[in-house]
Amino acid sequence: MSIGIDKIGFATAKYQLKMADLAAARDTDPNKYSVGLMLDSLSIAPITEDIVTLGAAAADQILTKEDKATIDMVIVATESSIDQSKAAAIFIHGLLGIQPFARSLEMKEACYSATAALNYAKLHVTAKPHSKVLVIASDIAKYGLRTSGEPTQGAGAVAMLVTSQPRILALNDDNMAQTRDVMDFWRPNYSNTPFVQGMFSTKQYLDCLKTTWAEYQQRYDTNLKDFAAFCFHIPYPKLASKGLNKLLDKSLPDAKREQIQQNFEASIHYSRQIGNIYTGSLYLSFLSLLENAKTLKAGDKIGFFSYGSGAVSEIFSGQLVAGFENRLEKNRQAQLEQRQTLSVADYEKIFFEEAQLDDQGNAEFDGYDTHSFTLDRIDQHQRLYKRN
Ligand code: HMG
């Protein structure tokens, strides 16, 4: 029995910041962002768009009535949680109208946890082949004004429906994980933005890739020749590109090198315009590959490198299923181009706006443009959402 991704959806914020504008405001050479980080724009979420609204919007695009009646588990992977106790998955379960006899929970390990969620979903469907599991990776990456990470912020959610007999990707049984206790990026409960040892974090990312890949190759007796494409966690595309160079060893035939390089370009196409979306970043790279690559075909083996600071990394693979191209969105690029461009002054105001609660814990918000769901208001400390 094959198990994997049957459907995939995506939502990002309706506002963007152009890197050229940020470069001008920060007195930085624009090439540092466009060439040095390989970023052109970032998605900017207003206060009324959060991991619940983005996650619900991503899932809403792909789910039918029948899916909602069958899904028996909803997992939200995130590191920008809106509540320390209640799982975002419960809000999303309610907003989408999923049948009540389902398990809903949230998972955390920096940018890594959607990979654990996918694996848990796979194990669940293995035990109960008629089940469907909704896995959502939803985050808002916010580093703060004038920080080293500022040009790598972003916002977005990827939703994946995991089933038996999937119609996009059949997951293989070849997961290879690694854990190492490092402080490269972390966010204590008292801080809205992370603490980052930027250069150290890039070294950890690349070293985790190198060592996990070496172990993966040895345990599964494989090498890059067996793959058509490799998707990476993308904190910014330049780092993923350096990661790819670590995998491209000299023995690789030219044609294979060319294929993997071309597919890599397709896999970073959306991230270049959206920025880091933490847990969803690897899966956005997969979506970008599917929707922008020219030569992918059924049976092609796709590799995945997941990385979450702290740190946990994992490499695994899947095989494209016949007809996968019919399951994709045709006008994603047009949607990205429709985002409203913010001035740097408006970005500074909108992205970092905080709820102004009164004595009873109530707050109202300006009417920002959001996807299919909005954080309507806070009523006695309860976040109330509505469908647009
Ligand atoms: P920086 O100040 O942009 O670093 O910070 P830089 O001065 O090294 O410049 C970056 C690149 O731009 C360099 O290229 C420069 O040469 C180039 P490289 O040497 O790397 O090839 N450059 C230029 N290129 C063309 N024209 C120019 C020019 N000037 C410079 N004029 C840093 C980089 C990563 C530290 C920063 O962006 C940061 O702090 N980011 C946040 C942390 C991060 O993304 N880490 C990545 C690994 S950790 C991870 O992936 C996990 C994460 O997603 C979180 C989670 O797991 O939850 C972050």
Side-chain angles (χ1 to χ4, degrees), residues 19-24 27-40:
M19 298 309 288
D21 294 339
L22 183 65
D27 203 15
T28 297
D29 180 346
N31 286 334
K32 174 167 177 182
Y33 297 159
S34 61
V35 180
L37 301 177
M38 297 169 72
L39 283 166
D40 302 322

PDB file of all heavy atoms in Angstrom, residues 19-24 27-40:
ATOM      1  N   MET A  19      12.368  43.623  -2.013  1.00  0.00           N
ATOM      2  CA  MET A  19      13.706  43.666  -1.409  1.00  0.00           C
ATOM      3  C   MET A  19      14.466  44.922  -1.815  1.00  0.00           C
ATOM      4  O   MET A  19      15.270  45.455  -1.041  1.00  0.00           O
ATOM      5  CB  MET A  19      14.523  42.431  -1.812  1.00  0.00           C
ATOM      6  CG  MET A  19      13.947  41.111  -1.358  1.00  0.00           C
ATOM      7  SD  MET A  19      13.535  41.062   0.388  1.00  0.00           S
ATOM      8  CE  MET A  19      15.131  41.015   1.134  1.00  0.00           C
ATOM      9  N   ALA A  20      14.214  45.406  -3.037  1.00  0.00           N
ATOM     10  CA  ALA A  20      14.915  46.616  -3.495  1.00  0.00           C
ATOM     11  C   ALA A  20      14.538  47.800  -2.609  1.00  0.00           C
ATOM     12  O   ALA A  20      15.388  48.642  -2.280  1.00  0.00           O
ATOM     13  CB  ALA A  20      14.565  46.895  -4.952  1.00  0.00           C
ATOM     14  N   ASP A  21      13.256  47.861  -2.190  1.00  0.00           N
ATOM     15  CA  ASP A  21      12.819  48.956  -1.312  1.00  0.00           C
ATOM     16  C   ASP A  21      13.458  48.830   0.068  1.00  0.00           C
ATOM     17  O   ASP A  21      13.884  49.828   0.664  1.00  0.00           O
ATOM     18  CB  ASP A  21      11.279  48.954  -1.164  1.00  0.00           C
ATOM     19  CG  ASP A  21      10.581  49.271  -2.485  1.00  0.00           C
ATOM     20  OD1 ASP A  21      11.231  49.859  -3.366  1.00  0.00           O
ATOM     21  OD2 ASP A  21       9.395  48.907  -2.631  1.00  0.00           O
ATOM     22  N   LEU A  22      13.525  47.587   0.564  1.00  0.00           N
ATOM     23  CA  LEU A  22      14.145  47.383   1.881  1.00  0.00           C
ATOM     24  C   LEU A  22      15.630  47.747   1.820  1.00  0.00           C
ATOM     25  O   LEU A  22      16.163  48.401   2.727  1.00  0.00           O
ATOM     26  CB  LEU A  22      13.973  45.922   2.341  1.00  0.00           C
ATOM     27  CG  LEU A  22      14.508  45.613   3.736  1.00  0.00           C
ATOM     28  CD1 LEU A  22      13.729  46.366   4.817  1.00  0.00           C
ATOM     29  CD2 LEU A  22      14.464  44.106   4.034  1.00  0.00           C
ATOM     30  N   ALA A  23      16.283  47.341   0.717  1.00  0.00           N
ATOM     31  CA  ALA A  23      17.711  47.647   0.568  1.00  0.00           C
ATOM     32  C   ALA A  23      17.936  49.161   0.604  1.00  0.00           C
ATOM     33  O   ALA A  23      18.845  49.650   1.301  1.00  0.00           O
ATOM     34  CB  ALA A  23      18.248  47.053  -0.734  1.00  0.00           C
ATOM     35  N   ALA A  24      17.093  49.907  -0.115  1.00  0.00           N
ATOM     36  CA  ALA A  24      17.252  51.373  -0.143  1.00  0.00           C
ATOM     37  C   ALA A  24      17.073  51.948   1.262  1.00  0.00           C
ATOM     38  O   ALA A  24      17.844  52.813   1.696  1.00  0.00           O
ATOM     39  CB  ALA A  24      16.240  51.984  -1.119  1.00  0.00           C
ATOM     40  N   ASP A  27      20.039  51.231   3.490  1.00  0.00           N
ATOM     41  CA  ASP A  27      21.317  51.687   2.947  1.00  0.00           C
ATOM     42  C   ASP A  27      22.233  50.507   2.604  1.00  0.00           C
ATOM     43  O   ASP A  27      23.421  50.464   2.959  1.00  0.00           O
ATOM     44  CB  ASP A  27      21.991  52.614   3.987  1.00  0.00           C
ATOM     45  CG  ASP A  27      22.988  53.540   3.320  1.00  0.00           C
ATOM     46  OD1 ASP A  27      22.928  53.642   2.078  1.00  0.00           O
ATOM     47  OD2 ASP A  27      23.832  54.121   4.037  1.00  0.00           O
ATOM     48  N   THR A  28      21.638  49.540   1.922  1.00  0.00           N
ATOM     49  CA  THR A  28      22.348  48.298   1.576  1.00  0.00           C
ATOM     50  C   THR A  28      22.345  48.139   0.066  1.00  0.00           C
ATOM     51  O   THR A  28      21.346  48.495  -0.591  1.00  0.00           O
ATOM     52  CB  THR A  28      21.609  47.092   2.226  1.00  0.00           C
ATOM     53  OG1 THR A  28      21.678  47.245   3.632  1.00  0.00           O
ATOM     54  CG2 THR A  28      22.199  45.754   1.836  1.00  0.00           C
ATOM     55  N   ASP A  29      23.421  47.578  -0.486  1.00  0.00           N
ATOM     56  CA  ASP A  29      23.463  47.298  -1.925  1.00  0.00           C
ATOM     57  C   ASP A  29      22.352  46.295  -2.260  1.00  0.00           C
ATOM     58  O   ASP A  29      22.310  45.207  -1.668  1.00  0.00           O
ATOM     59  CB  ASP A  29      24.844  46.704  -2.261  1.00  0.00           C
ATOM     60  CG  ASP A  29      24.998  46.381  -3.746  1.00  0.00           C
ATOM     61  OD1 ASP A  29      23.980  46.363  -4.467  1.00  0.00           O
ATOM     62  OD2 ASP A  29      26.143  46.137  -4.164  1.00  0.00           O
ATOM     63  N   PRO A  30      21.429  46.623  -3.185  1.00  0.00           N
ATOM     64  CA  PRO A  30      20.318  45.693  -3.471  1.00  0.00           C
ATOM     65  C   PRO A  30      20.785  44.308  -3.911  1.00  0.00           C
ATOM     66  O   PRO A  30      20.080  43.316  -3.717  1.00  0.00           O
ATOM     67  CB  PRO A  30      19.523  46.402  -4.587  1.00  0.00           C
ATOM     68  CG  PRO A  30      20.352  47.542  -5.041  1.00  0.00           C
ATOM     69  CD  PRO A  30      21.337  47.866  -3.967  1.00  0.00           C
ATOM     70  N   ASN A  31      21.999  44.233  -4.496  1.00  0.00           N
ATOM     71  CA  ASN A  31      22.511  42.920  -4.924  1.00  0.00           C
ATOM     72  C   ASN A  31      22.771  41.985  -3.738  1.00  0.00           C
ATOM     73  O   ASN A  31      22.798  40.776  -3.897  1.00  0.00           O
ATOM     74  CB  ASN A  31      23.808  43.078  -5.728  1.00  0.00           C
ATOM     75  CG  ASN A  31      23.517  43.617  -7.101  1.00  0.00           C
ATOM     76  OD1 ASN A  31      22.414  43.430  -7.618  1.00  0.00           O
ATOM     77  ND2 ASN A  31      24.484  44.305  -7.684  1.00  0.00           N
ATOM     78  N   LYS A  32      22.988  42.591  -2.582  1.00  0.00           N
ATOM     79  CA  LYS A  32      23.206  41.728  -1.406  1.00  0.00           C
ATOM     80  C   LYS A  32      21.970  40.847  -1.184  1.00  0.00           C
ATOM     81  O   LYS A  32      22.087  39.670  -0.852  1.00  0.00           O
ATOM     82  CB  LYS A  32      23.496  42.561  -0.156  1.00  0.00           C
ATOM     83  CG  LYS A  32      23.574  41.691   1.085  1.00  0.00           C
ATOM     84  CD  LYS A  32      24.142  42.356   2.283  1.00  0.00           C
ATOM     85  CE  LYS A  32      24.083  41.387   3.457  1.00  0.00           C
ATOM     86  NZ  LYS A  32      24.573  41.931   4.689  1.00  0.00           N
ATOM     87  N   TYR A  33      20.787  41.435  -1.384  1.00  0.00           N
ATOM     88  CA  TYR A  33      19.554  40.656  -1.197  1.00  0.00           C
ATOM     89  C   TYR A  33      19.226  39.808  -2.429  1.00  0.00           C
ATOM     90  O   TYR A  33      18.895  38.639  -2.308  1.00  0.00           O
ATOM     91  CB  TYR A  33      18.378  41.589  -0.886  1.00  0.00           C
ATOM     92  CG  TYR A  33      18.518  42.375   0.402  1.00  0.00           C
ATOM     93  CD1 TYR A  33      17.781  43.540   0.606  1.00  0.00           C
ATOM     94  CD2 TYR A  33      19.377  41.964   1.425  1.00  0.00           C
ATOM     95  CE1 TYR A  33      17.881  44.266   1.793  1.00  0.00           C
ATOM     96  CE2 TYR A  33      19.498  42.690   2.608  1.00  0.00           C
ATOM     97  CZ  TYR A  33      18.752  43.839   2.787  1.00  0.00           C
ATOM     98  OH  TYR A  33      18.857  44.552   3.946  1.00  0.00           O
ATOM     99  N   SER A  34      19.310  40.425  -3.628  1.00  0.00           N
ATOM    100  CA  SER A  34      18.859  39.704  -4.823  1.00  0.00           C
ATOM    101  C   SER A  34      19.858  38.626  -5.261  1.00  0.00           C
ATOM    102  O   SER A  34      19.452  37.576  -5.749  1.00  0.00           O
ATOM    103  CB  SER A  34      18.602  40.680  -5.977  1.00  0.00           C
ATOM    104  OG  SER A  34      19.795  41.359  -6.294  1.00  0.00           O
ATOM    105  N   VAL A  35      21.162  38.888  -5.056  1.00  0.00           N
ATOM    106  CA  VAL A  35      22.182  37.911  -5.459  1.00  0.00           C
ATOM    107  C   VAL A  35      22.721  37.180  -4.219  1.00  0.00           C
ATOM    108  O   VAL A  35      22.812  35.948  -4.190  1.00  0.00           O
ATOM    109  CB  VAL A  35      23.351  38.612  -6.206  1.00  0.00           C
ATOM    110  CG1 VAL A  35      24.420  37.611  -6.623  1.00  0.00           C
ATOM    111  CG2 VAL A  35      22.827  39.399  -7.397  1.00  0.00           C
ATOM    112  N   GLY A  36      23.052  37.947  -3.172  1.00  0.00           N
ATOM    113  CA  GLY A  36      23.665  37.348  -1.969  1.00  0.00           C
ATOM    114  C   GLY A  36      22.720  36.422  -1.223  1.00  0.00           C
ATOM    115  O   GLY A  36      23.146  35.379  -0.709  1.00  0.00           O
ATOM    116  N   LEU A  37      21.433  36.771  -1.129  1.00  0.00           N
ATOM    117  CA  LEU A  37      20.453  35.903  -0.448  1.00  0.00           C
ATOM    118  C   LEU A  37      19.502  35.244  -1.450  1.00  0.00           C
ATOM    119  O   LEU A  37      18.771  34.320  -1.109  1.00  0.00           O
ATOM    120  CB  LEU A  37      19.623  36.708   0.564  1.00  0.00           C
ATOM    121  CG  LEU A  37      20.388  37.428   1.678  1.00  0.00           C
ATOM    122  CD1 LEU A  37      19.416  38.237   2.555  1.00  0.00           C
ATOM    123  CD2 LEU A  37      21.156  36.446   2.567  1.00  0.00           C
ATOM    124  N   MET A  38      19.487  35.755  -2.698  1.00  0.00           N
ATOM    125  CA  MET A  38      18.590  35.282  -3.764  1.00  0.00           C
ATOM    126  C   MET A  38      17.119  35.508  -3.399  1.00  0.00           C
ATOM    127  O   MET A  38      16.279  34.614  -3.536  1.00  0.00           O
ATOM    128  CB  MET A  38      18.859  33.814  -4.108  1.00  0.00           C
ATOM    129  CG  MET A  38      20.258  33.587  -4.661  1.00  0.00           C
ATOM    130  SD  MET A  38      20.752  31.865  -4.801  1.00  0.00           S
ATOM    131  CE  MET A  38      19.772  31.313  -6.179  1.00  0.00           C
ATOM    132  N   LEU A  39      16.810  36.713  -2.918  1.00  0.00           N
ATOM    133  CA  LEU A  39      15.433  37.061  -2.551  1.00  0.00           C
ATOM    134  C   LEU A  39      14.985  38.306  -3.312  1.00  0.00           C
ATOM    135  O   LEU A  39      15.738  39.272  -3.416  1.00  0.00           O
ATOM    136  CB  LEU A  39      15.346  37.345  -1.053  1.00  0.00           C
ATOM    137  CG  LEU A  39      15.333  36.128  -0.132  1.00  0.00           C
ATOM    138  CD1 LEU A  39      15.592  36.532   1.305  1.00  0.00           C
ATOM    139  CD2 LEU A  39      14.023  35.359  -0.244  1.00  0.00           C
ATOM    140  N   ASP A  40      13.734  38.295  -3.810  1.00  0.00           N
ATOM    141  CA  ASP A  40      13.194  39.440  -4.549  1.00  0.00           C
ATOM    142  C   ASP A  40      12.113  40.183  -3.771  1.00  0.00           C
ATOM    143  O   ASP A  40      11.931  41.377  -3.937  1.00  0.00           O
ATOM    144  CB  ASP A  40      12.609  38.969  -5.891  1.00  0.00           C
ATOM    145  CG  ASP A  40      13.659  38.257  -6.718  1.00  0.00           C
ATOM    146  OD1 ASP A  40      14.828  38.702  -6.687  1.00  0.00           O
ATOM    147  OD2 ASP A  40      13.342  37.242  -7.358  1.00  0.00           O
TER     148      ASP A  40
END
